[in-house]
Amino acid sequence: MKRLIPILAAVSALIFIIVVSRPRAEKSLYDLGAFGRIPVLHNGRVKPIETVARTTLHRISSNQSTAVNKKPMSATRWLLDTITRPEIADDYPVIRIDHPELKTLIGTQDDEEKYFSIHTVTKGGEKLQHQYERARSVESSRRSQYQNLVMTLSQKILTYRSLSELTAFVPVYSKVEAERIGEAGPKAMSMEAQQNDEAVRSFFTILRAYHDQKPSEFNAAVAAHLAQVEKQSPQLASLAALESYFRLAQPFLYTIVLYVVVFLLAAFSWLFPANNADGQHQARNSKGDALRRAAMAVLGVAFLAHTGAMGLRVYLHGHPPITNLYASSLFVGFGAVLLAIVLEWIYRNGVGSATAGLVGMVTLIIAHNLSDGDDLEAVIAVLDTNLWLSTHVVVVSLGYASSFLAGALGIVYLIGGVFTSALTKENSKSLSRMIYGIVCFAMLASFVGTVLGGIWADQSWGRFWGWDPKENGALLVVLMNALILHARWGGMVRQRGIAALAVIGNIVTAWSWFGVNMLGVGLHSYGFMERALPWLVTFVVSQLVIASLGLLPLRYWRSTIASVTSEAHPAKPSRSVIASPV
């Protein structure tokens, strides 16, 4: 039976990912799934209307679906109601407001409520308009938090109005048609301006059928519209259908679930230590070994799902895998999980699977929260120039991925050693070797990636190095990995020390990856962001706390590795203060 556990785990994971990946359009008399496949021109890119509905709703409510009177409502139905039945849709609570002062500004005192209708938000129009004008008159870098929130709320109202006023997108039958509208300028980006266009007239037929509550006419009009798209541009019809499926399936979201399962299976496997006489490996077919192999099996399915979703995203986007912070988070998770699988394949002790589950889960959650709209948006010119940039961002992201993996292994070492008795002699040695090997890879990848970035900068900006904050961040990752390696080679740190330094490396890498983007200065403006600062500070504090565990004397550790450490590395009394406790 224990031999079947990994097979059953893999089959269960496979069935789970197949079931949840099926398109799940809202059940209705109206064929909303087909409606979501209609291609439209929106924000400079041709995309299915499913994407427009989801990204627009996400921008104003932070969710890709909503609920009205406690009943779930899909983004496409919300979009249709907003366009065709504003007298009803304007009372849907879809605009998210958290700040108490903003709630006071719109005239509500409900501290618990977070979602408000456009009707409620614009009720006190003069007050809001006054605050908006005051905030707009202030330079963006000098605005207070309240003024930034007012500007964000105003942008949400404009986004909502652009839908109801039919200026957000224009339906098209082909990319040639989309290029013609795009070249005509912003004034052409409205259905009123394109009302004589065949695709727009067909789309109006669909809207009228929905407004008149005639499902059969609606479905027939949608089918006729899609047939025209298929006739005039089969490739566009295919891409729109595929992207619509990608949005409905949400593969990255469900891959998080599998990574959580991997972490739990690997962690539970450590509750059944069944070592051989020499203490090197778990006994074959023990409970712990069965759980470890089950974790590896589920990890294989999760990694295939992660890879497949990334591959589909690259195909739809038509660009290399990393074009913004959201995509970099997906890739960093991919790279870290791949390296962790290699570690698990070599050492077969569950550590690789546990760290793969942990890093994969965290990076996909970060990506989910970084997505604030269309993550397949058109790439700005500076990111779409030459091969050097593509190779630079991929390689330097591998450096980030391996640095985080080394840090995750360091966390496993320190927490496992201080709070559990699982850090045995062999586990301690294996973890130390894993961290060392991954740091070597991180050093190579971050160094080569930084040099490739300099070559691209020389071709694009006319200089190899400009002390830009992002460039300095990449250099800091190289220097941190070099510090860890030199500390180990020079005998200043041993097993505990390299684990603690690897955790400190998490801080350096996180600041280089996200921190410099919050400065708002430099040439990497395409990566600027503000809202992650509290989370980044929390992460830094947590890593400092975990790294400080390495300073605890070994007599306070539950795992008894003191004798092992001293045997493996005889003490050197002449070393520095840093060397003596580790």
Side-chain angles (χ1 to χ4, degrees):
M1 181 62 187
K2 291 173 185 173
R3 294 180 179 179
L4 294 178
I5 290 178
I7 298 173
L8 292 175
V11 171
S12 301
L14 199 58
I15 292 174
F16 169 78
I17 208 69
I18 291 174
V19 169
V20 299
S21 296
R22 291 185 306 171
R24 296 176 301 281
E26 180 182 334
K27 292 182 179 179
S28 167
L29 294 175
Y30 300 91
D31 192 350
L32 298 177
F35 175 75
R37 296 197 293 271
I38 292 176
V40 299
L41 176 62
H42 177 251
N43 286 346
R45 185 172 80 86
V46 179
K47 61 190 78 171
I49 206 165
E50 181 74 43
T51 297
V52 177
R54 284 174 174 269
T55 56
T56 304
L57 187 57
H58 187 271
R59 278 176 180 156
I60 65 175
S61 73
S62 302
N63 293 303
Q64 294 189 14
S65 62
T66 186
V68 177
N69 297 326
K70 298 183 179 179
K71 292 183 179 178
M73 175 181 284
S74 68
T76 47
R77 180 180 285 278
W78 165 78
L79 179 141
L80 277 166
D81 283 353
T82 302
I83 294 176
T84 64
R85 302 195 297 171
E87 69 280 2
I88 299 174
D90 283 359
D91 285 322
Y92 292 167
V94 293
I95 298 181
R96 177 164 180 162
I97 299 176
D98 295 299
H99 201 278
E101 289 189 56
L102 280 187
K103 292 180 180 178
T104 302
L105 179 63
I106 65 172
T108 178
Q109 303 297 324
D110 191 344
D111 294 333
E112 300 296 327
E113 187 57 58
K114 292 183 178 179
Y115 297 95
F116 303 90
S117 68
I118 188 72
H119 183 252
T120 302
V121 172
T122 57
K123 195 185 302 179
E126 291 185 2
K127 290 182 180 177
L128 181 59
Q129 183 66 26
H130 175 66
Q131 292 298 326
Y132 169 73
E133 294 297 340
R134 287 187 61 183
R136 198 176 66 163
S137 65
V138 179
E139 189 179 341
S140 59
S141 60
R142 296 178 179 276
R143 286 177 191 145
S144 64
Q145 183 191 15
Y146 174 71
Q147 289 173 326
N148 282 325
L149 291 171
V150 169
M151 294 299 291
T152 301
L153 177 58
S154 301
Q155 188 58 49
K156 289 181 178 179
I157 296 171
L158 290 174
T159 300
Y160 185 97
R161 291 300 186 204
S162 68
L163 277 183
S164 57
E165 294 170 1
L166 302 178
T167 58
F169 61 87
V170 177
V172 293
Y173 280 155
S174 67
K175 285 194 173 182
V176 174
E177 196 177 336
E179 290 173 0
R180 175 185 63 78
I181 297 172
E183 290 172 356
K187 290 184 179 179
M189 266 304 300
S190 75
M191 281 190 252
E192 183 180 3
Q194 305 296 329
Q195 58 183 316
N196 295 323
D197 186 85
E198 185 182 350
V200 174
R201 291 204 304 273
S202 171
F203 194 75
F204 280 149
T205 304
I206 297 171
L207 296 182
R208 274 194 297 273
Y210 186 83
H211 176 268
D212 296 339
Q213 300 291 287
K214 296 179 177 176
S216 57
E217 291 185 16
F218 174 89
N219 295 340
V222 169
H225 190 101
L226 289 175
Q228 277 299 316
V229 176
E230 179 69 32
K231 180 181 178 182
Q232 296 194 26
S233 182
Q235 185 185 16
L236 178 60
S238 173
L239 285 173
L242 195 58
E243 185 176 337
S244 178
Y245 163 76
F246 185 68
R247 299 297 178 190
L248 290 168
Q250 302 186 72
F252 293 117
L253 189 61
Y254 293 107
T255 304
I256 294 175
V257 177
L258 292 184
Y259 280 135
V260 172
V261 173
V262 170
F263 176 77
L264 292 176
L265 286 172
F268 279 124
S269 74
W270 299 333
L271 297 177
F272 303 97
N275 296 339
N276 291 331
D278 59 1
Q280 291 183 348
H281 298 291
Q282 286 184 315
R284 189 76 176 168
N285 295 324
S286 67
K287 290 180 180 177
D289 183 62
L291 286 172
R292 182 192 63 75
R293 287 187 291 121
M296 187 65 178
V298 178
L299 176 59
V301 177
F303 185 67
L304 285 177
H306 192 157
T307 306
M310 279 188 56
L312 180 55
R313 186 181 179 280
V314 170
Y315 175 72
L316 290 170
H317 203 196
H319 291 281
I322 306 174
T323 52
N324 50 35
L325 273 178
Y326 167 81
S328 75
S329 188
L330 297 178
F331 188 83
V332 166
F334 166 82
V337 171
L338 178 60
L339 290 171
I341 288 175
V342 173
L343 291 178
E344 182 62 31
W345 189 262
I346 295 172
Y347 290 95
R348 299 173 186 267
N349 56 8
V351 173
S353 295
T355 50
L358 179 66
V359 177
M361 172 185 63
V362 170
T363 51
L364 290 187
I365 289 175
I366 291 173
H368 181 72
N369 287 284
L370 284 174
S371 177
D372 59 354
D374 182 9
D375 52 74
L376 295 174
E377 62 189 358
V379 180
I380 64 174
V382 72
L383 293 178
D384 195 22
T385 49
N386 59 41
L387 178 66
W388 291 114
L389 176 64
S390 303
T391 52
H392 154 60
V393 293
V394 168
V395 177
V396 86
S397 295
L398 280 176
Y400 291 162
S402 45
S403 296
F404 278 129
L405 179 59
L409 292 168
I411 291 171
V412 170
Y413 186 100
L414 295 173
I415 291 182
V418 173
F419 297 108
T420 76
S421 58
L423 193 65
T424 60
K425 171 184 176 181
E426 277 306 313
N427 287 341
S428 178
K429 284 184 179 179
S430 298
L431 267 169
S432 181
R433 289 170 185 161
M434 288 180 186
I435 296 170
Y436 173 69
I438 294 298
V439 169
C440 287
F441 182 86
M443 173 71 200
L444 178 65
S446 55
F447 176 75
V448 173
T450 303
V451 171
L452 290 173
I455 295 173
W456 169 68
D458 185 49
Q459 292 192 355
S460 298
W461 297 332
R463 88 291 186 282
F464 181 84
W465 193 263
W467 299 108
D468 181 272
K470 197 69 176 175
E471 295 169 355
N472 295 341
L475 179 61
L476 283 175
V477 176
V478 177
L479 293 177
M480 185 65 210
N481 286 314
L483 184 151
I484 296 173
L485 293 179
H486 278 80
R488 184 183 185 277
W489 293 336
M492 289 182 285
V493 297
R494 296 163 192 153
Q495 294 176 5
R496 266 197 304 164
I498 197 172
L501 284 178
V503 176
I504 296 296
N506 277 346
I507 299 174
V508 175
T509 309
W511 275 108
S512 302
W513 190 16
F514 288 109
V516 295
N517 294 78
M518 298 174 199
L519 298 176
V521 296
L523 294 173
H524 295 74
S525 59
Y526 43 83
F528 287 173
M529 62 183 304
E530 296 178 353
R531 66 181 186 278
L533 183 59
W535 293 106
L536 185 60
V537 172
T538 303
F539 177 76
V540 169
V541 172
S542 70
Q543 299 306 289
L544 286 173
V545 171
I546 293 172
S548 66
L549 294 176
L551 299 176
L552 279 177
L554 288 177
R555 61 179 178 275
Y556 296 118
W557 288 43
R558 289 195 65 187
S559 294
T560 53
I561 61 169
S563 59
V564 175
T565 304
S566 61
E567 288 171 8
H569 302 280
K572 296 181 180 180
S574 60
R575 291 297 178 190
S576 65
V577 176
I578 295 177
S580 61
V582 293

